[in-house]
Amino acid sequence: MKLHLCLFLACAGLITAQDKRQDNKDKGALPKNVLCFVETFTLTKTDYSMLLDAPQGRAKLHENVEAAVKAGTARLDGCHQILTQSGTHSRAEGVDELIYVTHWGDADSTGFQYPEAFEMQPLGDLFEVEPILYEESGLLDLNQCFSRDHFQGLRLCKADRTLTAVPVAEFFQQKGQSGCRVVPGFPTLLSTLNDAPPGAITLVFATAQVLPLAAPKAPVPKGSGTLRMTTRVISLNRTKGWRLLKKHAADGAACLAELKPLLAAQEAVLEHVSTTCTVPGQRAAYESGEIYTYGTERDLRLHNPLNQPVQGVPAGREPMDLESRTLGFRVDHEPKLAENPAFAQMPVTVSCVRMTGNLKDKNWSERYPEQPVFSSQTLSTEYTQVIGSNTLVGTLNPPGDTGVNGHKDECRMWLLFMEMNAP
């Protein structure tokens, strides 16, 4: 009995010692970020099939597609990047928001119907990712979804052949969703998007990297316990930005240094800069822009089947409900100090909203209410940052070819930098 007890105590002590060593190891381990870099290339289906059938076609697919871009037979039509962590859900989107009718009211005496209810459809690119890093093996899984939706226009539709036709929104949706294992540092074909435009195919590649962070050589000054964050957004030509990210995607300071001559030559544009201060663990927010107010619902009593006037409402005037949308840039973050005070956990959401005009379509009658079209760019993620560094958080891209009001791809990308200091 005493022998069993001694063995039990010895085993318990061994397990406790192992746990302590593991705890010490975890505390001493430097944090890691995961960098997800997404490229979309569009080419003809015939060319894609030929690339697959070429010698080592699948193994050299990304390399051959890059060569096709240089040759002009393929087009780089999307480039997105997110800095995140294992187990963190992050997203980047650049969309036009189309408000469309989902319910029409009763016809008036002339057979004309008016909208009663609306919904919003985002049109453009949306990339969501949640990487899972297995520390022991170094394997990396990506749970991801990439979608690209396009507005096809308004089609006239009749619920009753005796009534005036009403416009119905038509969308073309493309989505690739999966959970796949990737080799860090090597491009992986996540999915293909077909028939936009007809006869074409879009290849969605992702390159993921695991980035261990190095502690700063100089100790972090304690200062007043306040963290100061400066947000910069710089736009440039997509092809130039693509090449820049291939060189400096993991080094924000080097990337920003290479952008400065482009800014001086006006080949890049400083879209936004702002600074906020907060103590660790407290949320900080920046918001600046016009509050745009627009009508959402009209009083349809004036359009009843009997077309009778409504008491208290002057003829030709219709009361309506109003909503407001804040335009401009918004930055939300809540930095938290890690166990090692040289690092901070950084959950952040940066967005930019613009009003690009009212919906224009040959089938949208002048008798219908004005429908504003908003353009929204958002990056939402969480990563670890070295205090005293400037980090390239990712891209905050404008929407591409969405089809809304004839919107075409601007062929530009926006880079988001976050500088953190302890003043």
Side-chain angles (χ1 to χ4, degrees):
M1 188 70 179
K2 290 182 179 180
L3 179 61
H4 291 172
L5 180 60
C6 291
L7 289 174
F8 172 76
L9 294 174
C11 291
L14 180 61
I15 293 173
T16 302
Q18 290 176 341
D19 289 343
K20 288 182 178 179
R21 285 197 297 271
Q22 184 64 39
D23 289 342
N24 292 334
K25 179 181 178 181
D26 292 340
K27 290 180 180 179
L30 294 175
K32 298 178 181 178
N33 289 323
V34 178
L35 184 69
C36 295
F37 179 58
V38 175
E39 306 157 283
T40 61
F41 303 95
T42 297
L43 64 164
T44 66
K45 293 180 180 178
T46 302
D47 287 346
Y48 174 56
S49 181
M50 293 175 62
L51 290 178
L52 290 177
D53 295 337
Q56 295 185 311
R58 286 168 174 79
K60 293 186 176 181
L61 181 60
H62 185 267
E63 177 183 339
N64 291 335
V65 170
E66 284 188 320
V69 171
K70 293 180 181 178
T73 57
R75 182 168 60 94
L76 173 73
D77 55 14
C79 186
H80 307 276
Q81 181 168 298
I82 301 177
L83 186 67
T84 183
Q85 292 177 322
S86 177
T88 297
H89 178 268
S90 303
R91 67 185 180 94
E93 66 176 344
V95 296
D96 284 330
E97 300 176 355
L98 179 67
I99 302 172
Y100 65 101
V101 184
T102 57
H103 186 267
W104 295 85
D106 295 334
D108 61 16
S109 59
T110 65
F112 202 85
Q113 294 174 269
Y114 292 84
E116 283 190 340
F118 301 86
E119 288 188 7
M120 189 277 289
Q121 175 69 32
L123 300 157
D125 285 6
L126 170 62
F127 177 60
E128 297 180 274
V129 65
E130 183 177 333
I132 303 297
L133 175 63
Y134 299 95
E135 294 284 355
E136 294 184 358
S137 63
L139 296 175
L140 186 64
D141 286 353
L142 289 185
N143 299 309
Q144 64 82 33
C145 179
F146 183 91
S147 64
R148 174 176 289 174
D149 295 347
H150 187 269
F151 179 54
Q152 303 288 77
L154 296 177
R155 172 177 55 87
L156 293 178
C157 178
K158 287 187 176 183
D160 184 332
R161 287 180 296 176
T162 65
L163 299 177
T164 302
V166 297
V168 176
E170 290 193 319
F171 306 109
F172 190 87
Q173 295 186 320
Q174 303 171 92
K175 178 185 291 187
Q177 183 174 354
S178 66
C180 56
R181 183 152 295 170
V182 301
V183 179
F186 291 88
T188 300
L189 179 63
L190 296 180
S191 61
T192 59
L193 312 176
N194 288 4
D195 293 322
I201 187 169
T202 299
L203 313 184
V204 182
F205 285 93
T207 305
Q209 299 182 57
V210 180
L211 306 179
L213 298 180
K217 296 179 181 179
V220 178
K222 294 182 179 181
S224 60
T226 299
L227 294 176
R228 182 180 63 217
M229 285 77 61
T230 297
T231 304
R232 290 184 181 90
V233 180
I234 299 174
S235 71
L236 71 164
N237 173 270
R238 180 184 295 141
T239 302
K240 291 183 179 179
W242 176 52
R243 293 169 181 162
L244 188 63
L245 289 181
K246 284 183 171 294
K247 292 172 57 179
H248 302 303
D251 191 340
C255 186
L256 190 58
E258 195 159 332
L259 278 169
K260 288 181 178 179
L262 299 179
L263 289 168
Q266 298 184 348
E267 295 180 27
V269 177
L270 179 62
E271 300 285 352
H272 172 78
V273 59
S274 62
T275 298
T276 56
C277 295
T278 185
V279 296
Q282 292 292 325
R283 174 179 173 270
Y286 165 92
E287 186 172 337
S288 179
E290 175 189 356
I291 298 178
Y292 184 83
T293 302
Y294 59 100
T296 56
E297 294 183 9
R298 307 168 77 181
D299 191 331
L300 300 176
R301 295 175 298 168
L302 297 180
H303 305 295
N304 57 68
L306 298 180
N307 202 26
Q308 296 178 349
V310 179
Q311 185 176 3
V313 179
R317 296 181 61 187
E318 305 172 10
M320 66 173 71
D321 291 335
L322 301 175
E323 287 191 5
S324 297
R325 184 72 182 273
T326 301
L327 309 181
F329 277 87
R330 182 178 179 88
V331 181
D332 285 280
H333 40 210
E334 188 178 337
K336 303 174 184 177
L337 291 181
E339 290 187 5
N340 185 334
F343 304 98
Q345 284 288 111
M346 190 64 172
V348 61
T349 298
V350 180
S351 62
C352 175
V353 178
R354 295 172 292 169
M355 196 279 188
T356 60
N358 293 317
L359 174 63
K360 299 176 183 178
D361 190 280
K362 63 180 181 179
N363 291 323
W364 189 254
S365 171
E366 292 183 354
R367 298 172 66 181
Y368 298 143
E370 293 180 343
Q371 293 300 332
V373 176
F374 298 103
S375 174
S376 176
Q377 302 160 226
T378 304
L379 177 63
S380 181
T381 187
E382 182 174 347
Y383 63 97
T384 302
Q385 182 161 348
V386 179
I387 297 176
S389 70
N390 203 333
T391 298
L392 175 58
V393 184
T395 53
L396 191 74
N397 291 338
D401 182 4
T402 66
V404 183
N405 288 350
H407 186 179
K408 299 298 182 181
D409 188 3
E410 301 172 10
C411 298
R412 293 187 69 79
M413 65 187 305
W414 293 20
L415 303 181
L416 169 63
F417 295 87
M418 186 68 67
E419 181 180 356
M420 178 186 292
N421 291 292

